[in-house]
Amino acid sequence: MPDEPKTLDPAARPAATAGDPPAPDRARPAGTASQASQATQATQASQAAPVAAPVPDRRRFLVPVTVGLVLAALNLRPAITSLGALLEEVSEGLHMSGSVAGVLTSVPPLCFAVFGITAPRLARRFGPAAVVCAGMAAIFTGLVLRPLAGGTAAFLAASALALMGIAVSNVLMPVIVKRYFPDRVGTMTGLYSMALALGTSVAAAATVPLTDALGGDWRLGLGVWAALAVLAVLPWLPLLRDRDRVSRAPRASRTEAGAAPAAEVPLPAAPRVTRSRTAWALGAFFGLQATGAYITMGWMPQIFRDAGVPASTAGVLLAVTMVMGVPLAFVIPRLATRMKTQGPIVVALALCGLGGYTGLFLAPAAGAWVWAVLLGVSNCAFPLALTMIGMRSRTGTGVVRLSAFAQSVGYLISIPGPLLVGVLYQHSGGWGLPIALMGGLMVPQMIAGILAGRDRTVEDEC
């Protein structure tokens, strides 16, 4: 009779550790033992390997983000253009001097440059959606307080509060698009650019009629735009739950009970955009196109009036220039994202600007409608610049920094333009020299745009 198998003493059997396979009851073939050893090693390796944090599913936020983008864009300019329409009444009501009123028109680009640079830090701390929500709230608060101001200082402070909200929202709009619509950058940039142009033109055209309908009080005419601003706050409130930051890795991932926490996967370092030639080119392009836009909004009606065009018609011509941005702001970004380089679009827009300024120089009254249309097309370099910000970086962190850098540098560049045109007009006694300056700025804008539109990202250069 064969010997019965010997029973091992339980005390002598090694204790099993968590994760070890159960001890075999009988001998296994060599191949099976090898496979078991490999499986054990793979299991242990997978437990020790870093586990990437799951990418949050933001599809449930797409509807409120889309509505929020449109309403936010509608509110990014009425605080400025509504004041321009009533600047004379505001100056008389607050007893502003001409120089103070002139400074007031230069405050927006200064605030955009100063406050816009803070947007990346705020987005890292609170998340971009929360910062945009706070920006809309700041616009609403500033527009409510501004009509209540009893003096120039309080009026400037309330205006600065609204402009601060506009500044951070300006910077973070491309970031929101890149974050929630990475495969539809052109379409969504076009959508909010179109809404921005619509808000700009509607506020410029409707503020005076609204003021007249409300009894002619400029305070009511300015304050009415706060109603639109409060609507822009609402869609962003559900997005406050989407709080993961744009440049921080999660502190720890969820693990099963008793298991060691998974190691973090570090995110790529944010690019140092100041070392990127593309970033500087984009900042110059943004600044030069902003210069042309502010000169057009501030001085084009006066150019037409000095040429003999009636004041009412000059206002309509400005509205035509601004309305041109509504359809083209939707078309140009979509076209830009389908092109490898955006240089041809830059050249086409600059040539329209050169044609418009040449017409203003030679025959401002005879071809006024044509020149207004051409300059309106040229001003669509703004949505193109926003689109290129989203295309010139591969990461959300890079878009935040590039957007803040390009817009802050750009708005600093744009500050002296309208003032210089006014000085040249006053000292030369005519519009020949200022218009020559406007047309001349199209050349460096074209060069900077071609460089910024090359098929590369700031990460490649940093």
Side-chain angles (χ1 to χ4, degrees):
M1 177 179 292
D3 294 338
E4 294 182 359
K6 297 181 180 179
T7 302
L8 295 176
D9 184 1
R13 183 173 297 180
T17 58
D20 287 339
D25 292 335
R26 58 177 59 91
R28 295 182 179 177
T32 304
S34 175
Q35 294 174 0
S37 175
Q38 293 175 1
T40 301
Q41 294 174 1
T43 301
Q44 294 173 345
S46 64
Q47 291 176 349
V51 179
V55 177
D57 183 8
R58 299 195 176 97
R59 287 175 294 181
R60 66 186 184 277
F61 296 121
L62 295 187
V63 172
V65 168
T66 302
V67 176
L69 279 173
V70 173
L71 288 176
L74 286 172
N75 281 277
L76 292 181
R77 293 299 179 269
I80 302 170
T81 53
S82 62
L83 176 59
L86 296 174
L87 184 59
E88 182 177 349
E89 290 79 3
V90 172
S91 299
E92 293 176 356
L94 296 178
H95 307 291
M96 291 183 185
S97 64
S99 59
V100 173
V103 170
L104 187 61
T105 61
S106 299
V107 167
L110 178 61
C111 286
F112 293 165
V114 173
F115 294 123
I117 202 68
T118 66
R121 183 184 296 263
L122 294 173
R124 288 195 299 269
R125 179 69 177 85
F126 301 104
V131 177
V132 172
C133 183
M136 294 299 107
I139 295 172
F140 166 72
T141 305
L143 292 180
V144 168
L145 295 178
R146 191 162 67 172
L148 303 177
T152 301
F155 188 88
L156 285 172
S159 297
L161 177 61
L163 293 169
M164 178 177 64
I166 295 172
V168 295
S169 301
N170 272 338
V171 171
L172 294 179
M173 288 289 102
V175 179
I176 295 290
V177 169
K178 187 82 168 182
R179 180 182 180 88
Y180 292 93
F181 306 95
D183 56 340
R184 285 177 283 175
V185 171
T187 300
M188 298 309 296
T189 301
L191 180 64
Y192 83 75
S193 297
M194 183 173 63
L196 190 151
L198 182 62
T200 304
S201 56
V202 168
T207 297
V208 172
L210 282 174
T211 303
D212 294 338
L214 294 171
D217 188 348
W218 63 265
R219 296 179 184 273
L220 294 178
L222 291 181
V224 71
W225 297 105
L228 181 62
V230 73
L231 292 178
V233 177
L234 303 179
W236 297 100
L237 295 178
L239 298 169
L240 296 179
R241 294 175 295 174
D242 188 26
R243 295 291 298 274
D244 41 306
R245 317 300 193 251
V246 296
S247 64
R248 293 183 180 179
R251 294 183 179 179
S253 61
R254 296 179 180 177
T255 57
E256 297 181 2
E264 296 180 6
V265 176
L267 295 178
R272 297 184 178 181
V273 293
T274 54
R275 298 180 178 180
S276 168
R277 295 181 180 179
T278 298
W280 283 103
L282 191 51
F285 177 67
F286 195 98
L288 290 169
Q289 66 81 27
T291 300
Y294 281 112
I295 290 174
T296 299
M297 287 188 289
W299 292 109
M300 195 177 79
Q302 190 64 44
I303 294 174
F304 285 129
R305 292 180 67 176
D306 288 351
V309 177
S312 59
T313 304
V316 174
L317 287 168
L318 176 60
V320 168
T321 298
M322 298 167 71
V323 166
M324 289 300 300
V326 176
L328 291 179
F330 186 72
V331 173
I332 289 177
R334 298 187 68 183
L335 179 62
T337 55
R338 297 178 181 179
M339 301 176 65
K340 191 172 183 180
T341 62
Q342 290 72 49
I345 304 178
V346 171
V347 172
L349 296 178
L351 290 178
C352 287
L354 285 172
Y357 288 127
T358 300
L360 285 179
F361 185 88
L362 298 177
W369 296 99
V370 177
W371 317 143
V373 170
L374 287 175
L375 291 175
V377 174
S378 177
N379 283 346
C380 288
F382 174 70
L384 176 61
L386 294 179
T387 305
M388 288 197 291
I389 288 174
M391 298 178 66
R392 296 286 89 88
S393 178
R394 291 192 295 266
T395 65
T397 304
V399 173
V400 172
R401 295 202 171 187
L402 179 59
S403 181
F405 177 80
Q407 294 197 43
S408 295
V409 170
Y411 283 123
L412 283 174
I413 292 174
S414 71
I415 291 173
L419 297 176
L420 181 58
V421 167
V423 171
L424 290 176
Y425 172 62
Q426 182 177 358
H427 285 80
S428 66
W431 285 107
L433 192 56
I435 292 175
L437 171 65
M438 299 177 203
L441 290 176
M442 289 288 101
V443 176
Q445 176 180 321
M446 189 187 312
I447 295 173
I450 292 173
L451 294 175
R454 292 176 297 175
D455 184 23
R456 61 187 63 189
T457 63
V458 292
E459 287 86 356
D460 297 331
E461 300 175 338
C462 297

